[in-house]
Amino acid sequence: MAQLSDDCFAHGGKLLRTDEALALIEARVTAVAESQEVPLAESFGRILAEDLVAPANVPPHANSAVDGYAVFFDDLSAEEETRLQITGRSAAGHPSAQPARRGSAVRIFTGAMLPDGPDTVMMQEDCRVEGGTVIIAPGIKRGANLRQAGEDIRAGSVVLRRGQRLRAQDVGQAAAIGRSQVWVSIPLKAAIFSTGDELREPGKPLDPGSIYDSNRYTVGALLRGLGCQVADLGILPDRESEVRAALSEAMREHDLVLTSGGVSVGEEDHVKQAVEALGRIHAWRLAIKPGRPVALGQLGRIPFVGLPGNPVAVMVTFLTLVRPLVLRMMGGTVEPPRRFPVRADFPHRKKKDRREWLRATLTEAADGTPLAHKFPRDGAGILSSMVESDGLIELPEDLTQLEPGSMVAFLPFSEMMP
Ligand code: AMP
Ligand code: MG
């Protein structure tokens, strides 16, 4: 279970900047996930809990990059064709039994071990064969068409680091150094609730004034995408006593509790009081748009995040704050998502001193530069804007006026949501 110091999110200021919020998370939240050894084939998407060190060179032996003939470079004429007797054969998985002799060539295939002696491989397309003799055109370089032992990975080097989330190529890399099992973090147990009397479960009929709960599904998917084990605890009514009872139950069995909705300052917003009764809350009004109301706190000693209610704000605050928080708790390396420079094709005014994210799609300008188009409707409740966009444009705190044609930072969804 998570352990937080009592004042893990304590902060004096009122409107917190994104960087300050991230610095607090970094300073106060520690890795809590224990690790387990899993079969390599089940490690995809998990966070590595050990450094993987190559016990031997990869490839372990020099081998041919092509189908052809292994030769001694010094046997070749630089000006005219060279005729060499073919004296051996080395196929992948079937190395040649005897060392090669000077003045001869060994038939060799891609991936086959280079026999002792030769230092160069001629591609078969550049050779002619007459009986048992291969005729080699001049012009090849010493060492051509070879893969050296250890050219991929050197024995003793760290190929994957603790904290990395294992992608397909990482799983393959672990196999390439001979690992059949790896140590990974145990999934964080995260509990999620939605709050709001207007919310209904998808699949049920809608009565007047009600809407379907989408946030719990979005947040559940985001958490699972980060490798969490998610307990979906349903919809809570706008009643403090019920919210409190549910949170108090959830905090006993989970590492992290998330809610959405009910964290603004309206009289129907009861999440803050409920959390304060069970732990501490520092009702973060963040200097961001969308998503200003985000409650960050703790229930007993486990972290609590009260996400906003508006579906776009939920995603933006999740990606900005919850993603690094969860990765940290799982012992993952937290790297800010990469921002790509793109050209904005629209003007935009914004308030100073807050960070703003706009939903955008990309096309290509005539000169090949990626061109960002803002989604026409700004509302924080318009979830279809996220569905139809490629990512977020991030506008820094000090910017107030964006002119069409200026370069902006683009965060593709694919960078943040694997
Ligand atoms: P709140 O912060 O609770 O005042 O909610 C802000 C807006 O988000 C309101 O329009 C809510 O109806 C909407 N909202 C809150 N929770 C959800 C949810 N789980 N799914 C969809 N919309 C929601
Ligand atoms: Mg509400």
Side-chain angles (χ1 to χ4, degrees):
M1 288 296 243
Q3 331 89 24
L4 292 177
S5 60
D6 259 359
D7 60 346
C8 88
F9 290 123
H11 187 267
K14 275 225 124 183
L15 223 62
L16 207 66
R17 289 164 60 106
T18 313
D19 290 343
E20 295 174 307
L22 289 171
L24 274 178
I25 288 171
E26 192 180 330
R28 307 292 177 91
V29 176
T30 48
V32 297
E34 286 164 19
S35 48
Q36 64 181 147
E37 205 176 20
V38 296
L40 184 61
E42 290 165 26
S43 68
F44 175 66
R46 306 289 294 270
I47 290 174
L48 196 59
E50 58 171 333
D51 286 346
L52 290 194
V53 178
N57 279 336
V58 180
H61 45 76
N63 66 93
S64 179
V66 296
D67 291 341
Y69 296 86
V71 298
F72 294 80
F73 179 79
D74 290 333
D75 287 343
L76 305 180
S77 160
E79 283 86 38
E80 53 199 46
E81 289 185 338
T82 307
R83 303 176 73 88
L84 298 170
Q85 203 197 344
I86 303 166
T87 56
R89 191 175 194 276
S90 180
H94 303 279
S96 144
Q98 71 273 38
R101 279 187 285 106
R102 281 298 300 261
S104 75
V106 173
R107 179 69 169 128
I108 197 164
F109 300 91
T110 306
M113 187 169 155
L114 191 72
D116 270 349
D119 56 1
T120 302
V121 176
M122 282 301 297
M123 238 159 100
Q124 65 188 24
E125 289 83 346
D126 298 334
C127 304
R128 278 190 347 268
V129 178
E130 283 174 12
T133 300
V134 59
I135 300 151
I136 294 169
I140 188 140
K141 290 209 182 85
R142 188 191 295 275
N145 300 318
L146 270 187
R147 304 163 176 159
Q148 299 298 345
E151 82 170 25
D152 185 352
I153 300 162
R154 287 251 157 242
S157 60
V158 177
V159 295
L160 295 169
R161 298 217 171 257
R162 179 192 193 100
Q164 274 179 254
R165 261 171 77 79
L166 295 170
R167 305 163 298 169
Q169 59 267 51
D170 303 327
V171 177
Q173 183 81 302
I177 64 164
R179 294 293 295 255
S180 61
Q181 313 245 56
V182 287
W183 284 90
V184 295
S185 296
I186 290 177
L188 209 62
K189 285 191 270 172
I192 52 173
F193 293 102
S194 289
T195 72
D197 287 344
E198 77 282 28
L199 302 177
R200 299 288 176 273
E201 195 55 29
K204 302 262 166 66
L206 282 183
D207 44 314
S210 61
I211 59 169
Y212 288 123
D213 175 3
S214 62
N215 289 345
R216 235 169 66 245
Y217 291 87
T218 313
V219 173
L222 286 165
L223 287 167
R224 287 186 193 96
L226 291 174
C228 292
Q229 184 186 317
V230 179
D232 180 344
L233 300 181
I235 301 168
L236 296 174
D238 285 317
R239 252 193 318 283
E240 203 233 295
S241 57
E242 288 192 44
V243 175
R244 194 188 329 152
L247 293 180
S248 138
E249 183 73 31
M251 66 191 265
R252 275 189 244 136
E253 317 232 309
H254 301 94
D255 302 314
L256 169 70
V257 177
L258 297 170
T259 59
S260 86
V263 288
S264 318
V265 288
E267 57 202 52
E268 295 293 334
D269 296 320
H270 303 295
V271 171
K272 280 188 294 205
Q273 294 92 304
V275 175
E276 262 157 5
L278 300 166
R280 299 185 55 157
I281 199 146
H282 310 279
W284 282 9
R285 284 162 43 82
L286 293 196
I288 59 172
K289 185 187 178 187
R292 188 171 53 175
V294 181
L296 252 143
Q298 57 196 92
L299 295 167
R301 296 176 82 81
I302 70 159
F304 166 81
V305 183
L307 294 165
N310 278 308
V312 176
V314 164
M315 287 197 78
V316 169
T317 50
F318 186 101
L319 295 173
T320 310
L321 298 173
V322 180
R323 182 178 177 276
L325 175 95
V326 164
L327 287 175
R328 271 197 93 70
M329 291 181 76
M330 288 210 290
T333 311
V334 184
E335 273 165 15
R338 272 183 306 166
R339 282 126 171 108
F340 297 87
V342 301
R343 197 177 298 289
D345 81 335
F346 56 91
H348 185 74
R349 278 174 67 84
K350 72 174 266 301
K351 266 199 189 149
K352 194 164 160 51
D353 292 332
R354 77 178 180 195
R355 195 177 293 192
E356 199 167 318
W357 290 274
L358 308 173
R359 291 137 266 167
T361 47
L362 293 186
T363 57
E364 212 172 271
D367 67 356
T369 324
L371 199 60
H373 316 275
K374 185 164 86 75
F375 191 80
R377 283 162 294 141
D378 279 336
I382 299 181
L383 187 54
S384 56
S385 63
M386 297 295 277
V387 174
E388 285 168 35
S389 296
D390 298 320
L392 300 172
I393 289 175
E394 185 176 60
L395 300 177
E397 281 81 353
D398 52 359
L399 184 93
T400 53
Q401 177 72 44
L402 179 72
E403 302 299 345
S406 14
M407 297 301 283
V408 289
F410 183 75
L411 291 112
F413 287 144
S414 53
E415 275 285 302
M416 301 179 281
M417 294 181 260

